Amino acid sequence: LCESTRLGIPAIVASNPRNHVTTDASVGLSVGVTSFSKWPGELGLAAMRDFKLTRKFAETAATEWRAVGLRKGYMYMADLATEPRWGRVEGTFGEDADLASNMITQIVLGFQGTKLSPSSVAMTTKHFPGGGPQEGGQDSHFDWGKFAHYPGGMFDFHVKPFKAAIAAGTSAIMPYYSAPKGKEFEEVGFSFNKAMIGDLLQGKLGFKGIINSDTGPIEMMPWGVENMTIPERYQKALNAGVDIFSGSADPTTLIEVVKKGMVSEARIDQSVAKLLTEKFVLGLFENPYVNVEDAVKIVGNKEAVDAANLALRKSIVLVRNDEKRLPITKKTKVYFETYFNSGRNAAEAIKVSKPNYPGLEFVSTKEEADVVLLWLIPSAGGLFSSQGSKIDLNLSANRIDVTHVNEILNAKPTILAINYTNPWVIGEIDKGKASSIIATFGTTQDALLDIVTGAYNPSGKMPFTTPLNQAVVDANKSDVPGYMEGPGYGLFAFGHGLSY
């Protein structure tokens, strides 16, 4: 198709993340498990607290991406998980600006190198100036979640990881759909907001790269500019600093905007120059093709898988071991149940596993077992199932049958593993019986078993604070991290993690 055009300008093939174990693998968020090397979710990478291994992840993933012709990533999220109800917490590096800054630095340098080149995968760091502090935790893909707000006055805290991305050389930055709420801001979506893009991002922060709108702000999420015509929305976004419109944008309308004199052709040339420069520097004009045989050898190769397997283990956090039940000893009889309810009935949500794991005997019923390993994988149903109703982080509100969990806890000594895509509220669980708790953030069964048996000594640290109850969730300041919310807020603190 590109070769058939007058100028033969090569396409750049972009993707969202595709190297992670994720619960909400939705179009526009994360591709989920593929034939690429399989790493922890972004929260899990942050839980490792291993920046050298994070760099290794990014370099490894970039090699796989390049091999198949993926040369640009709509990633990674520099947003902070300060609002525990937000549906995109899973894609962040946690609630702390310094941790996220360190992670983003290694990610950008790993994918791009110290400067953009033919060996790079170009990064699009998102979502400026931080999509985390959403009003009520609602997401700005929807009308009912259009506003970001800063009740704690922490706007600069959210900008900090983007400063790190700029310093590392990120090729592009993506503004979010949200409109900032408050008298000090123009209440229009960030892609239309000149104070945020032109004055802050390009002016004060000195970013010279590509401003890439999120998908569909012109027609689908025109927050704050609903009363403008489509051409007027293009005009406002271009004047704010946007260089490329993702998704349903219509070039014919954009051309009409120029012909009518609403935007100068020189302004369009500025953006075109940026977009072409990226393709030239990536070497796509010289060679846009891939070697299929090399791709087959590179994707999911042993070195990549070995590094990923280490990360999967380092990402797991031991948060409670009151009775020293962990690690479990050899010859123990284990009933291993995974509870993942994606909207099905409870019976279909339960999966009993009997892996061939050395030293342990896996049994078919809890009655036969010495110990139960129960892995809960709560699900809010996915971002795009949102209806705008109040967000509840209790396990029972996120497809976990708490009665079933407590029956197991009261029947047998139980090791409870919980997969966190949000900071779940676990107060419905019988605290006295849940004396051994493990936190996962997208990992594998084998990695979990290595932690449980002590084959790998747990070393992960929590990437966010888990709330004590739903009342503190409802009262939280959306732009303030949990560790700053004050006493009485948290159950498991940011940075908490035990070892054997």
Side-chain angles (χ1 to χ4, degrees), residues 445-461:
Q445 181 176 278
D446 286 346
L448 177 60
L449 289 171
D450 274 357
I451 295 295
V452 167
T453 62
Y456 192 89
N457 194 1
S459 59
K461 306 297 179 186

Side-chain angles (χ1 to χ4, degrees), residues 393-395 402 406 424-431 467-470 491:
L393 293 182
N394 279 296
L395 292 178
V402 178
N406 283 329
W424 306 119
V425 172
I426 66 169
E428 298 164 305
I429 292 172
D430 189 327
K431 300 181 188 67
L468 189 62
N469 51 47
Q470 185 62 31
L491 177 63

Side-chain angles (χ1 to χ4, degrees), residues 423-445:
W424 306 119
V425 172
I426 66 169
E428 298 164 305
I429 292 172
D430 189 327
K431 300 181 188 67
K433 299 294 183 180
S435 60
S436 302
I437 302 179
I438 293 169
T440 67
F441 305 93
T443 192
T444 60
Q445 181 176 278

Side-chain angles (χ1 to χ4, degrees), residues 233-242 245 254 257 263 267-268:
R233 294 174 191 175
Y234 273 111
Q235 180 188 38
K236 189 168 181 65
L238 287 162
N239 287 339
V242 171
F245 295 94
L254 182 59
V257 169
V263 173
R267 169 66 190 89
I268 302 299

Side-chain angles (χ1 to χ4, degrees), residues 70-115:
L70 290 171
R71 300 303 305 278
K72 189 178 183 75
Y74 281 154
M75 57 196 194
Y76 272 82
M77 287 170 58
D79 312 274
L80 300 177
T82 54
E83 170 49 78
R85 295 169 291 189
W86 187 39
R88 304 195 69 176
V89 166
E90 185 179 21
T92 74
F93 294 116
E95 71 181 12
D96 181 64
D98 290 326
L99 174 58
S101 295
N102 285 328
M103 295 295 294
I104 283 290
T105 297
Q106 298 307 321
I107 292 286
V108 172
L109 291 174
F111 272 93
Q112 292 190 172
T114 52
K115 64 179 182 178

Side-chain angles (χ1 to χ4, degrees), residues 21-70:
V21 181
T22 57
T23 297
D24 186 12
S26 304
V27 173
L29 301 183
S30 176
V31 180
V33 173
T34 65
S35 53
F36 289 6
S37 56
K38 183 165 56 179
W39 296 71
E42 290 91 328
L43 289 169
L45 291 177
M48 297 190 311
R49 298 299 201 277
D50 186 332
F51 302 123
K52 184 176 180 181
L53 188 53
T54 299
R55 180 73 162 266
K56 175 71 173 177
F57 153 71
E59 292 170 347
T60 301
T63 301
E64 293 179 309
W65 282 51
R66 266 196 325 271
V68 302
L70 290 171

